[in-house]
């Protein structure tokens, strides 16, 4: 791990954002065709995935709030980190919406 806590936070934010974008892409690709019969998943699995994806969304929100502290002294990193975190939050919200049956 990095010795600098701010660097660790930046790495974690990037990892969570990229992971949530990847999961959202897989969910989008794996969506059923309209009118197709879909086998129901077990309740424990649906609850587990909703909790995990909700936690990722919450951690990305914390990363967005901590962004000024993470990037203190590095103004050139603001636009890419802000865009990556916001895109990760949108992806995590999409996946959580799919888990809850809202999308």
């Amino acid at each position: 791990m990095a010795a600098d806590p701010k660097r660790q936070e930046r790495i974690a934010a990037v990892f969570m954002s990229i992971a949530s974008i990847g999961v959202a892409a897989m969910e989008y690709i794996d969506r059923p065709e309209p009118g197709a019969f879909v086998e129901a998943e077990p309740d424990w699995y649906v609850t587990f995935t909703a909790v995990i994806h909700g936690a990722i969304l919450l951690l990305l929100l914390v990363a967005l709030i901590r962004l000024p502290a993470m990037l203190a002294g590095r103004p050139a990193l603001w636009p890419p980190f802000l865009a990556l975190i916001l895109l990760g939050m949108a992806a995590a919200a999409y996946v959580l919406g799919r888990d809850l049956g809202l999308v």
Side-chain angles (χ1 to χ4, degrees), residues 19-52:
S20 66
I21 292 167
V23 169
M26 288 188 292
E27 285 278 335
Y28 183 77
I29 291 170
D30 195 34
R31 71 188 187 284
E33 295 292 325
F37 291 105
V38 179
E39 185 176 334
E41 295 173 332
D43 290 340
W44 67 268
Y45 178 75
V46 173
T47 304
F48 177 73
T49 57
V51 167
I52 294 295

Side-chain angles (χ1 to χ4, degrees), residues 4-90:
D4 184 18
K6 292 179 184 178
R7 186 166 190 268
Q8 288 178 353
E9 285 184 80
R10 289 192 302 265
I11 291 170
V14 167
F15 178 76
M16 284 186 301
S17 295
I18 291 173
S20 66
I21 292 167
V23 169
M26 288 188 292
E27 285 278 335
Y28 183 77
I29 291 170
D30 195 34
R31 71 188 187 284
E33 295 292 325
F37 291 105
V38 179
E39 185 176 334
E41 295 173 332
D43 290 340
W44 67 268
Y45 178 75
V46 173
T47 304
F48 177 73
T49 57
V51 167
I52 294 295
H53 297 141
I56 291 172
L57 182 61
L58 182 65
L59 287 172
L60 283 170
L61 180 63
V62 169
L64 183 64
I65 293 169
R66 297 258 324 133
L67 195 60
M70 279 193 291
L71 299 177
R74 296 178 177 259
L77 294 178
W78 264 90
F81 267 85
L82 182 62
L84 188 62
I85 290 174
L86 290 177
L87 189 60
M89 287 178 70

